[in-house]
Amino acid sequence: MPNGDVMSAYLSGEEVKRHGKFYFMAKRFCRNKAAVVALTFIILLILGAVFCDYLTPYDYAEQNLAEAKQLPSAAHIFGTDDFGRDIFTRILRGARVSLLVSLMGVLMSTAAALVLGSIAGYYGGKADNLIMRFMDILISIPGLLLSMTVSAALGTGMVKTAIAMAIPGVAQLTRQLRSSIMMLKDSEYIEAAKAFGGSDIHILWNHVLPNCLSPLIVQFTLSLGSSIMCISGLSFLGLGVQPPTPEWGNMVAAGQDYLRTYPHMVIFPGLAVMCAMLAFNLLGDGLRDALDPRMKQ
Amino acid sequence: MIKYVIKRILMMIPVLIGVVIIVFTINYFSEVSPAVILAGANATAEDIAAKNAELGLDRPYLVQIGSYFYNLIFHGSMGTSYIYKQPVISMIATRMPYTLTIGIIAAAFSAVVGIVLGILGAVKQNSIFDYISTTLSIICAALPPFLVCLGLMLVFSVHLKWLPIQGINGWKSYILPIIATGLSPIAMTARMTRSSILEVIRQDYIRAARAKGVPEGVVVWKHTLKNALIPILTVVGMNFGLSMTGSVICETIFNIPGLGLLMASSISQRDFITTQGCVLVCAFIVCVMNLLTDLCYALVDPRIKAQYKNTGKSIKKRSIQKGGAAA
Amino acid sequence: MSLLEIKNLEIRFNTDAGVVHAVNGINLTIEEGESFGLVGETGAGKTTTALAILNLLQSPPAEIVSGEIIYKGQDILKMSKNKLREIRGEEISMIFQDPMTSLNPVMTIGEQIMEAVKYHSGKSAADAQLRMLEMLEKVRIPAERSYDYPHQFSGGMKQRVVIAEALAANPALLLADEPTTALDVTIQAQVLDMISSLQKENKTAMLLITHDLGVVAETCKRAAIMYAGEIVEIGTVEQIFDSTAHPYTKGLFNSIPSLDKKTDRLMPIRGLMPDPMDLPKGCKFAPRCPYADESCINECPPLKDLGEGHYCKCHHADKGAPLYFPDEKGNELAYEHGLPVSNPGNDFLGKGDGPNGK
């Protein structure tokens, strides 16, 4: 019936060979309009973050008290803050911090999870038990709390905030990777690779991990979004990235006092967090459908 | 079954010990010592050393952590706050009711609304209603908590003046925090319910039930929902833990004297012993919620119940989560 | 009037990849109390047909393009939801292919059997329970197990539960969709016997869907062979086995090992079933048929009447010409139409005893 069988019958081997696997992934991805919009937004955001110094006539740090607390206008499309700084410029500049810190954090937690998850999933036994019990402990501390504690201990700054972000992320990624490796470990082609005398590292790297890649990429994308949210939460609470470095969370915190009269100082940075999170979530969903069409409803 | 519960409760102990050790270790190696903050801006090295000695922070790592456990186990004490000079446990106890009230009501309300929305979305798949509720839940899941809190405050307290802005002053003060805490759980529950129901509704046994002439309402509410409930329960249980996290930001904004505000202030003031107590309590709540969720699985799925009964071994949630297909 | 009459039924699935033509204009009738076999390969459209009879196809993607399914004088496809619900289970019920997945894992089997009775007119809960216990006895499952859940049963027992469920409301028509395929060979016969005897006992008509010609020979009076969404041959079991008319049917017989005849190698039908998204213009079997000529490729053959209710959808059906399939070496095994000795179907039945001649 019209399920996977028909679909795979439809894609003849030759067609797959001609275009490659990637072509079909891209095709499936492009069919998901929301994901394409999200990807575009993220690319624009990255470009904006990189070139923010050239994109607007204002400086993100320079105070101009004469123009303080202006509502959105043609000159300042998102208005100005209490020191007369252009909020749009600061949001772009803040994107640099948010994107960079969350990327660093997620890369760190992914690297840690790759090592820990591989050991736990592939070797099992005592190592698995030890690692997973440790993860049980980490996962029972609510993520933001753990980040806050680490951040308070380490102090502020981008790298330190990234570390604070990474630690709670490790547990979830490790668990996920471990379970996919455990499922793959017993499959016949891994047995075959073992029978050919491949070393553990070789088998892990060449046979096991590539097959865990799709869920990992999806989780990576989703984590980028949630860590942007988490970073802004930390900065909002006065941890993490500190003023004068603009970060969406600390911009909201600074604007909070003017909520009654100048809500734009809170709303725009807040919306920036929301849009970034939304974009990464949609991108993650789109990637999941594209990489693994079986998951699609 | 009781054997299983006891076993699970016993398994919580090493986890909680681990939590204490981790948080303690993080704090021990803190860049800024609590003494520095307490001693004030103009303190000399001697002042700081004196403060350290006063708080017992000059003792070796193992002694400090040992005495924390000793007090915790034999005196039921979580130490005394560096800042407020009060027993941490009593501070937590006075603040807990606010956080729990908000957390429980928000969790219950988000579970009910989320499940109903999810079911309606799945049953009327691809209708306008489904489209709107799916879009809304994607957006709600991406809303940062501070934006929700400030936005609600702006609309309902500042402009409409229907509800108090900050603090706890009668039942009305709870409304906005509950909505703010419940919004993203509603979205997550609705999404999970929808996808879980769509997964179950195409199973053969649902078709078989329809072939028997079972009315559509019974098919959805009895046959489908019960099978779809495991992942939904997981999300609902997880959301309760998340509401603990959310309380930090929500209580800071609404100025509610709950656990979240205590955590936020203790962390920023480096009142580590208080932080530690708060984290321990949160971890305990999360563990209890996990246990309750796992016990609910057994109520829903006879296969899981049988596993609990037979082996008494811990059932790893992740193996069950995937559609409840226990072999 | 026939119990069930399918007229010109055409069903397709509109998928992302294209339109799947699952059922392409089939006609068949089932009389009261009759057992009718519907035979074909996986993907021939058998299950789709059965689901259409209960109007259970998920739409979208399924779309019933045209046709009528007349049950006791009423078109099922035009019935209201309520009327449909009344018919399902009580008038027409279905046994699904895989008992592992067709029982709800979180409900006791007793509950599930009772449901078949409970939701139909004028049955109290007590009636339903009595009937449930009666059915359990009939399928030889101890009554105390009615409180057990599906995971506590073996595959064969589960299928017996499914049978009890399907027959609990005493339906006039039972659709059995490959009821034994998912079971161990050793219990297939047992389950099949149980279905047959209960069906005869209750005078229930049965549409048995299978890919196993042996099962049809054992259980059915009449049968239809389906290929790529079409019925290519229809008739009594004797007609189909003794005077096989369609090349595809012959191919099917050739693919089955026979105990009675020594065969060095089986003769499979060359090639694959056509892509249901891109069906051949003429005869759907033409690309695989050793007999195909110009007319087969260009023109869809009509269902030809071969007399006494035996129909065949082949241009060459009534010419009496020999039908043969070349084997891999190019040797040809000739079949003479109407000559039972050389008919592979006859070998299969065993010394020409006839299908129900035991």
Side-chain angles (χ1 to χ4, degrees), chain A residues 133-182:
Chain A
R133 291 298 78 75
F134 185 68
M135 293 305 150
D136 284 347
I137 295 169
L138 273 191
I139 225 156
S140 64
I141 307 176
L144 184 67
L145 275 188
L146 189 55
S147 289
M148 282 169 68
T149 318
V150 176
S151 179
L154 289 177
T156 55
M158 301 229 298
V159 178
K160 288 171 179 171
T161 309
I163 296 173
M165 300 305 321
I167 291 176
V170 174
Q172 210 196 343
L173 278 170
T174 307
R175 277 190 166 188
Q176 192 190 339
L177 203 63
R178 170 183 175 269
S179 63
S180 17
I181 290 178
M182 280 182 44

Side-chain angles (χ1 to χ4, degrees), chain C residues 9-13 20-26 44-46 48-49 226 228-230:
Chain C
L9 185 66
E10 191 180 340
I11 303 168
R12 60 186 186 203
F13 291 92
V20 177
H21 298 274
V23 176
N24 306 307
I26 65 165
K46 298 165 293 172
T48 311
T49 309
M226 248 184 127
E230 288 179 344

Side-chain angles (χ1 to χ4, degrees), chain A residues 1-13 15-16 24 28 31 289 293-294 296, chain C residues 14-18 20 275-277:
Chain A
M1 295 309 97
N3 52 16
D5 298 353
V6 176
M7 298 280 280
S8 55
Y10 174 67
L11 301 173
S12 66
E15 216 172 333
V16 173
F24 288 100
R28 276 197 297 267
R31 216 179 282 156
D289 294 348
R294 279 165 302 169
K296 204 180 166 187
Chain C
N14 303 313
T15 67
D16 287 352
V20 177
D275 180 354
M277 276 187 248

Side-chain angles (χ1 to χ4, degrees), chain C residues 150-192:
Chain C
H151 72 272
Q152 290 158 300
F153 291 82
S154 68
M157 280 181 108
K158 274 189 207 170
Q159 195 61 310
R160 270 147 56 192
V161 171
V162 173
I163 293 168
E165 222 181 276
L167 293 173
N170 219 343
L173 173 62
L174 174 69
L175 312 172
D177 182 6
E178 311 221 12
T180 54
T181 310
L183 302 178
D184 284 347
V185 181
T186 45
I187 48 175
Q188 282 186 355
Q190 177 203 346
V191 166
L192 206 62

Side-chain angles (χ1 to χ4, degrees), chain A residues 237-250:
Chain A
L237 291 167
L239 299 156
V241 184
Q242 302 286 314
T245 309
E247 199 284 339
W248 297 334
N250 69 35

Side-chain angles (χ1 to χ4, degrees), chain A residues 96-258:
Chain A
R96 191 185 284 191
V97 179
S98 292
L99 290 173
L100 204 63
V101 173
S102 81
L103 185 66
M104 279 195 290
V106 178
L107 277 178
M108 279 188 250
S109 48
T110 308
L114 269 178
V115 175
L116 294 173
S118 302
I119 295 173
Y122 192 74
Y123 292 102
K126 272 184 189 155
D128 176 37
N129 220 335
L130 194 73
I131 291 171
M132 291 329 284
R133 291 298 78 75
F134 185 68
M135 293 305 150
D136 284 347
I137 295 169
L138 273 191
I139 225 156
S140 64
I141 307 176
L144 184 67
L145 275 188
L146 189 55
S147 289
M148 282 169 68
T149 318
V150 176
S151 179
L154 289 177
T156 55
M158 301 229 298
V159 178
K160 288 171 179 171
T161 309
I163 296 173
M165 300 305 321
I167 291 176
V170 174
Q172 210 196 343
L173 278 170
T174 307
R175 277 190 166 188
Q176 192 190 339
L177 203 63
R178 170 183 175 269
S179 63
S180 17
I181 290 178
M182 280 182 44
M183 270 201 277
L184 282 171
K185 194 175 68 170
D186 298 323
S187 57
E188 270 141 36
Y189 71 97
I190 300 295
E191 300 270 308
K194 276 186 197 162
F196 282 124
S199 73
D200 285 348
I201 299 280
H202 167 86
I203 291 171
L204 255 175
W205 190 254
N206 289 300
H207 298 289
V208 180
L209 289 181
N211 285 294
C212 306
L213 215 56
S214 318
L216 198 67
I217 290 173
V218 173
Q219 192 57 45
F220 187 89
T221 317
L222 295 175
S223 303
L224 280 177
S226 56
S227 28
I228 287 180
M229 181 113 110
C230 196
I231 293 164
S232 66
L234 279 185
S235 308
F236 176 81
L237 291 167
L239 299 156
V241 184
Q242 302 286 314
T245 309
E247 199 284 339
W248 297 334
N250 69 35
M251 288 168 71
V252 173
Q256 203 187 344
D257 299 337
Y258 305 98

Side-chain angles (χ1 to χ4, degrees), chain A residues 142 144-145 153 160 260 285, chain B residues 31 143 165 191 245 263 318:
Chain A
L144 184 67
L145 275 188
K160 288 171 179 171
R260 280 160 193 277
D285 288 350
Chain B
E31 195 189 46
L143 279 173
I165 293 188
R191 265 188 99 175
T245 313
M263 279 190 279
R318 42 196 176 276

